[in-house]
Amino acid sequence: MTAIRPDQPRPRLAPLRTAAVAGAVVLLALAGCAARPSAAPTGTPGAVRHIELTFAGGAVRGGVSRIPVRLGSTVDLDVHSDVTDEVHLHGYNRMSDVRAGASTTLEFVADTPGVFEVELEQRGSQLTQLEVS
Ligand SMILES: [Cu+2]
């Protein structure tokens, strides 16, 4: 920007430029208001998906299934086991020890889409698959 000396007349374009800037500000303000109600989240913020699995007698109760999980949700995966092992969530690479006759919980935000295996790591037994989408 060039400095304007006080003895010089105002440049003729200045009022037009000011009007254009004001117009742009109004448009931005309107766009901001209009966008607010239609902004759809990719997950329900604060929503927790609770999943419970039980491993007993060498197998997961109910059989291995694929559980759909909404992308962006918080997952609370609770695994009860009659053997001591580690619960491993592939892809997210989360692990948690579980003692025989006890439970362990893996809590994570499902922020990566895909199908991910959950297994008892030492035994190599698949517990479930989480389908995040
Ligand atoms: Cu594993």
Side-chain angles (χ1 to χ4, degrees):
M1 209 181 260
T2 53
I4 298 165
R5 280 163 49 192
D7 59 327
Q8 281 185 326
R10 268 179 83 89
R12 296 179 70 191
L13 280 178
L16 285 176
R17 211 179 291 140
T18 303
V21 167
V25 168
V26 168
L27 283 174
L28 283 172
L30 288 173
C33 290
R36 200 177 297 163
S38 62
T42 53
T44 309
V48 176
R49 177 70 192 280
H50 191 78
I51 297 168
E52 280 189 23
L53 299 170
T54 299
F55 186 85
V60 65
R61 191 168 293 168
V64 175
S65 61
R66 186 174 285 190
I67 301 171
V69 171
R70 188 166 180 184
L71 185 66
S73 61
T74 296
V75 177
D76 196 14
L77 178 66
D78 197 32
V79 178
H80 183 84
S81 174
D82 66 352
V83 293
T84 295
D85 209 313
E86 286 172 289
V87 176
H88 182 207
L89 167 63
H90 287 205
Y92 289 82
N93 207 27
R94 300 290 298 269
M95 302 198 69
S96 184
D97 291 331
V98 63
R99 284 183 300 107
S103 296
T104 189
T105 302
L106 281 180
E107 193 180 295
F108 64 98
V109 175
D111 54 4
T112 304
V115 176
F116 305 97
E117 263 183 45
V118 181
E119 70 170 1
L120 284 182
E121 189 69 10
Q122 308 302 324
R123 299 177 66 97
S125 295
Q126 194 177 153
L127 296 172
T128 193
Q129 295 177 356
L130 301 182
E131 183 169 9
V132 181
S133 61

